[in-house]
């Protein structure tokens, strides 16, 4: 028996919207307002979503329970496993002493904290986003910045802000692939359109990142470096997304921006080195330069000093050995992402769906299982879709081809190359697992919440509220993507949730569907810094569990402001630069 989603059970759209938003209100009130631990927030949000779906939107309890379990299973394999494996690799690097050399190698390039945050949080974080995605950049780059000497709060907050512009192409282009699949629009057009929106914000985010740390004057002191970082990344992002493919946009952007910045810093240095007031000094301070409030503890400030403790120097071989684990990680993730490799691993480890052809013949389909009693048991209806459409629920337990498994093998290989024996590596993994256990619970329940929202139709109710904005829909439709990521913690999931709705609504309003579907993904990236999953990962990686609410309040306005900028860009494309929206674009083969 199939259950059809109900989008306005009371006949008052505003009341239905308020009830649909209740799980989000509970989640963020507990997280930001009452400072409840994130795993309890996620549990409370999931329970609220279950009650709202069953009592008010008439979803059968069995379907609500199954959708929650499906989301938890998806979250554990697809997201929590990646983050756990990435942090495991970081822990191996720390325990073998290589992370200290990595830290000193960055400090040797520049002691200026403004430039370090550009190199690590923005450039290196973008590379990790392209390779692994799903929170791994915040975990790895955040831990990296603590190793450099940043306070945990600064490391977490700055990495959340930095992990925006690259998100639409995270994990080898997964969000774009998903968007094309759910909208039935050409992937090349969607990819190119996203590549004509986000490079503009990629020019802004590095400046925004530095300005968050320091005053306007001190930001403009390193403006040449900001320009090199932003322009090199944005140009690569634009060219690769418009003329090559959607898989390696972030990886190439991160590599090019790192190389361009390192070359530039070889010839240019800021006139004055900027450091935090808590950094190691070798002489007395002379004068204060700026003060920015730190919600956790002391002032976030900088002072001029006559000198600083200089980093130790290492040979090129020592530096290469220290960076080797992350080079191995990159190779493994790229290899794991190759379609032929992924298909071969899936066929060897996972049962396949059976696809019945029109002539009655049966052939293997995608690997995995139909979720019992949930697959095709829920139906979406107008105006969310053009005609009643059953919601598939297939769980592809592709444990071997999962990105997290590639990250885990990379960590094991790196540990062996660094001289650790298997027993030592297992002990390290156990310590990582214990440290990340609450974060993994929070991630799992957040995905459970997201899947109840999806299968009950609560997401569609919220989305339909945005469609009432008329000619301003290009702006507010961008925030629909933002909402999707804030709900699910994933641009991929946001595209799956709202991609079809964006296409239908834009066609009804006479707006180009390629633009609005791309805007869903582009706006979604700015919601990445406020979703509970990312904040949980950030606090777990920087060892400050309990400060999630403080971090959320700090980054919330940055998220809204940056998404508003994306919304204005989309408005301009919708009404001023319509000819710039691509149609029929083909990738270079």
């Amino acid at each position: 028996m199939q259950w059809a989603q109900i989008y306005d059970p009371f006949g008052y759209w505003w009341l239905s919207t308020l009830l649909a938003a209740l799980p989000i209100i509970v989640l963020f009130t507990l997280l930001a307002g009452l400072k409840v631990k994130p795993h309890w927030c996620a549990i409370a949000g999931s329970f609220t979503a279950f009650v709202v779906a069953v009592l008010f939107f008439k979803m059968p309890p069995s379907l609500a329970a199954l959708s929650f379990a499906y989301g938890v299973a998806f979250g554990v394999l697809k997201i929590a496993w990646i983050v756990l494996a990435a942090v495991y690799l970081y822990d191996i690097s720390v325990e073998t002493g290589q992370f200290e050399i990595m830290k000193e190698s960055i400090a040797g390039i520049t002691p200026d904290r403004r430039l370090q945050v550009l190199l690590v949080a923005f450039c290196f974080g973008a590379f990790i986003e392209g390779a692994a995605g799903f929170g791994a950049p915040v975990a790895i780059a955040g831990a990296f910045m603590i190793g450099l000497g940043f306070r945990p709060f600064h490391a977490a907050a700055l990495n959340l802000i930095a992990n925006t512009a690259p998100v639409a192409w995270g994990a080898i282009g997964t969000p774009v692939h998903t968007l094309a699949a759910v909208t039935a629009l050409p992937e090349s057009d969607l990819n190119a359109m996203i590549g004509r929106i986000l490079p503009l914000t990629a020019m802004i985010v590095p400046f925004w990142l530095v300005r968050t740390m320091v005053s306007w004057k001190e930001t403009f002191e390193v403006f040449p470096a900001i320009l090199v970082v932003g322009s090199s990344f944005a140009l690569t992002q634009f060219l690769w997304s418009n003329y090559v493919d959607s898989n390696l946009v972030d990886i190439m952007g991160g590599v090019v921006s790192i190389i361009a910045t390192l070359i530039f810093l070889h010839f240019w240095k800021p006139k004055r080195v900027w450091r935090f007031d808590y950094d190691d000094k070798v002489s007395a301070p002379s004068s204060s330069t700026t003060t920015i409030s730190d919600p956790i503890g002391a002032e976030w400030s900088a002072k001029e000093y006559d000198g600083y403790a200089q980093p130790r120097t290492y040979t090129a071989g020592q530096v290469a050995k220290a960076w080797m684990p992350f080079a191995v990680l990159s190779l493994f993730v790229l290899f794991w992402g190759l379609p032929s490799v992924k298909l071969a691993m899936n066929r060897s480890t996972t049962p396949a769906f059976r696809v019945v052809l029109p002539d009655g013949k049966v052939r293997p389909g995608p690997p995995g299982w139909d979720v019992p009693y949930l697959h095709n048991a829920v139906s979406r209806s107008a105006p969310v879709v053009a005609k009643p459409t059953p919601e598939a629920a297939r769980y592809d337990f592709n444990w071997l081809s999962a990105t997290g498994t590639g990250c885990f093998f990379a960590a094991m290989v790196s540990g062996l190359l660094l001289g650790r024996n298997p027993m030592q590596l297992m002990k390290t993994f156990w310590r990582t697992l214990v440290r990340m256990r609450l974060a993994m619970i929070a991630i799992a329940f957040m995905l459970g919440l997201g899947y109840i929202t999806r299968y009950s139709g609560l997401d569609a109710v919220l989305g339909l509220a945005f469609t009432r904005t008329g000619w301003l829909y290009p702006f507010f439709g961008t925030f629909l993507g933002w909402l999707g990521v804030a709900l699910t913690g994933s641009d991929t999931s946001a595209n799956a949730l709202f991609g079809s709705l964006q296409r239908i609504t834009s066609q009804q309003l006479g707006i180009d569907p390629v633009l609005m579907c791309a805007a869903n993904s582009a706006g979604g990236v700015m919601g990445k810094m406020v979703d509970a999953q990312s904040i949980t990962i950030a606090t777990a990686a920087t060892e400050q569990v309990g400060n999630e609410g403080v971090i959320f309040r700090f980054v919330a306005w940055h998220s809204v402001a940056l998404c508003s900028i994306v919304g204005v860009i989309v408005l301009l494309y919708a009404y001023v630069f319509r000819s710039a929206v691509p149609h029929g674009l083909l990738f270079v083969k």
Side-chain angles (χ1 to χ4, degrees):
M1 182 178 294
Q2 195 173 72
W3 173 75
Q5 294 176 347
I6 302 170
Y7 304 125
D8 191 5
F10 304 101
Y12 298 98
W13 71 268
W14 59 269
L15 180 58
S16 299
T17 301
L18 181 62
L19 283 170
L22 192 58
I24 309 170
I25 295 171
V26 169
L27 175 69
F28 287 119
T29 298
L30 292 176
L31 184 65
L34 302 180
K35 302 181 181 179
V36 177
K37 291 183 178 180
H39 60 285
W40 289 115
C41 296
I43 292 171
S46 300
F47 179 76
T48 304
F50 184 93
V51 171
V52 169
V54 172
L55 290 186
F56 300 109
F57 289 85
K58 308 305 179 183
M59 186 181 194
S62 59
L63 293 181
L66 285 168
S67 61
F68 170 77
Y70 181 27
V72 169
F74 181 91
V76 169
L77 180 64
K78 300 293 186 179
I79 299 177
W81 179 220
I82 295 175
V83 177
L84 178 66
V87 175
Y88 175 44
L89 181 135
Y90 161 76
D91 286 345
I92 290 174
S93 180
V94 170
E95 291 187 5
T96 56
Q98 301 306 310
F99 192 79
E100 184 68 21
I101 300 176
M102 292 176 62
K103 179 189 74 174
E104 298 286 358
S105 69
I106 292 292
I109 295 170
T110 175
D112 194 296
R113 293 302 194 191
R114 298 167 295 185
L115 301 179
Q116 289 177 354
V117 79
L118 290 174
L119 278 169
V120 177
F122 188 81
C123 299
F124 182 58
F127 176 82
I128 297 297
E129 176 67 36
F134 297 108
V138 176
I140 294 175
F144 199 118
M145 286 173 62
I146 289 178
L148 283 171
F150 285 75
R151 275 185 179 158
F153 172 79
H154 303 158
L158 292 171
N159 272 285
L160 285 168
I161 295 172
N163 189 39
T164 48
V167 169
W169 292 280
I172 321 293
T174 301
V176 180
H177 302 331
T178 303
L179 184 63
V182 300
T183 61
L185 293 171
E187 181 176 326
S188 56
D189 289 344
L190 292 169
N191 190 47
M193 188 66 247
I194 299 171
R196 299 180 187 192
I197 298 173
L198 287 182
L200 298 173
T201 64
M203 296 290 294
I204 297 172
V205 170
F207 186 91
W208 196 290
L209 195 60
V210 176
R211 176 61 186 89
T212 302
M213 295 174 58
V214 301
S215 67
W216 286 101
K217 176 186 175 183
E218 291 157 342
T219 300
F220 280 105
E221 287 176 355
V222 291
F223 184 73
I226 293 173
L227 191 61
V228 169
V229 169
S231 60
S232 60
F233 184 83
L235 184 61
T236 306
Q237 197 178 56
F238 168 76
L239 293 175
W240 205 274
S241 62
N242 276 262
Y243 300 108
V244 186
D245 62 26
S246 57
N247 294 332
L248 302 180
V249 176
D250 284 345
I251 291 175
M252 295 307 301
V255 169
V256 170
S257 61
I258 289 172
I259 294 174
T261 306
L262 291 178
I263 293 173
F264 179 74
L265 292 179
H266 183 73
F267 299 99
W268 178 90
K269 304 291 182 186
K271 293 181 180 179
R272 186 169 57 90
V273 173
W274 191 94
R275 303 277 285 182
F276 291 113
D277 65 343
Y278 53 75
D279 285 314
D280 295 333
K281 304 96 183 175
V282 296
S283 59
S286 56
S287 62
S288 179
T289 59
T290 188
T291 299
I292 302 176
S293 177
D294 180 347
I296 304 176
E299 294 292 314
W300 180 341
S301 59
K303 297 180 179 179
E304 286 191 73
Y305 289 83
D306 296 331
Y308 295 88
Q310 296 299 311
R312 286 177 291 178
T313 57
Y314 296 91
T315 65
Q318 289 174 311
V319 172
K321 180 181 178 181
W323 281 91
M324 179 267 296
F326 292 94
V328 172
L329 172 67
S330 303
L331 292 175
F332 266 82
V333 170
L334 289 174
F335 178 75
W336 244 248
L338 293 174
S340 57
V341 174
K342 187 177 291 288
L343 181 61
M345 288 191 289
N346 286 340
R347 286 178 173 173
S348 65
T349 60
T350 313
F353 297 118
R354 292 188 305 163
V355 177
V356 180
L357 301 177
D359 59 4
K361 294 182 179 180
V362 178
R363 67 171 176 81
W369 298 274
D370 295 343
V371 178
Y373 306 107
L374 180 62
H375 177 63
N376 290 338
V378 174
S379 177
R380 293 206 168 206
S381 55
V384 176
V385 290
K387 59 181 180 179
T389 305
E391 282 283 283
R394 294 188 174 102
Y395 187 66
D396 52 336
F397 186 61
N398 50 358
W399 62 270
L400 182 58
S401 66
T403 304
T405 304
C407 295
F408 177 78
F409 285 155
M412 293 291 289
V413 170
S414 298
L416 293 173
L417 292 175
L418 292 174
R420 309 290 282 183
N421 61 51
M423 184 58 67
Q424 290 173 319
L425 291 175
M426 287 297 99
K427 289 180 178 179
T428 301
F429 181 73
W430 175 253
R431 286 191 289 269
T432 303
L433 182 62
V434 170
R435 179 158 68 91
M436 295 293 292
R437 67 189 186 282
L438 294 181
M440 294 182 69
I441 292 173
I443 291 170
F445 272 83
M446 275 303 304
L447 266 294
L449 165 62
Y451 272 58
I452 292 177
T453 300
R454 170 184 171 184
Y455 283 93
S456 66
L458 299 184
D459 62 329
V461 176
L462 294 171
L464 289 170
F466 283 87
T467 67
R468 298 176 181 271
T469 55
W471 71 272
L472 283 174
Y473 181 70
F475 180 84
F476 288 102
T478 302
F479 270 92
L480 182 56
W482 179 93
L483 175 66
V485 175
L487 274 172
T488 65
S490 164
D491 201 44
T492 299
S493 298
N495 288 341
L497 287 175
F498 294 137
S500 178
L501 179 62
Q502 291 276 18
R503 177 172 184 172
I504 293 170
T505 304
S506 59
Q507 288 173 333
Q508 291 173 344
L509 296 174
I511 302 170
D512 196 310
V514 169
L515 171 63
M516 288 315 304
C517 291
N520 191 82
S521 190
V525 306
M526 299 307 174
K528 190 71 173 175
M529 68 181 87
V530 295
D531 77 83
Q533 174 188 302
S534 293
I535 293 174
T536 299
I537 292 168
T539 56
T542 56
E543 298 187 6
Q544 50 175 332
V545 174
N547 289 327
E548 290 82 7
V550 180
I551 293 174
F552 173 81
R553 289 193 295 272
F554 182 85
V555 300
W557 87 269
H558 295 281
S559 177
V560 173
L562 285 167
C563 190
S564 297
I565 292 173
V566 177
V568 171
I569 294 171
V570 174
L571 266 175
L572 291 173
Y573 275 120
Y575 300 120
V576 181
F577 305 110
R578 295 183 180 182
S579 61
V581 179
H583 288 281
L585 187 67
L586 297 175
F587 290 141
V588 176
K589 299 298 182 182

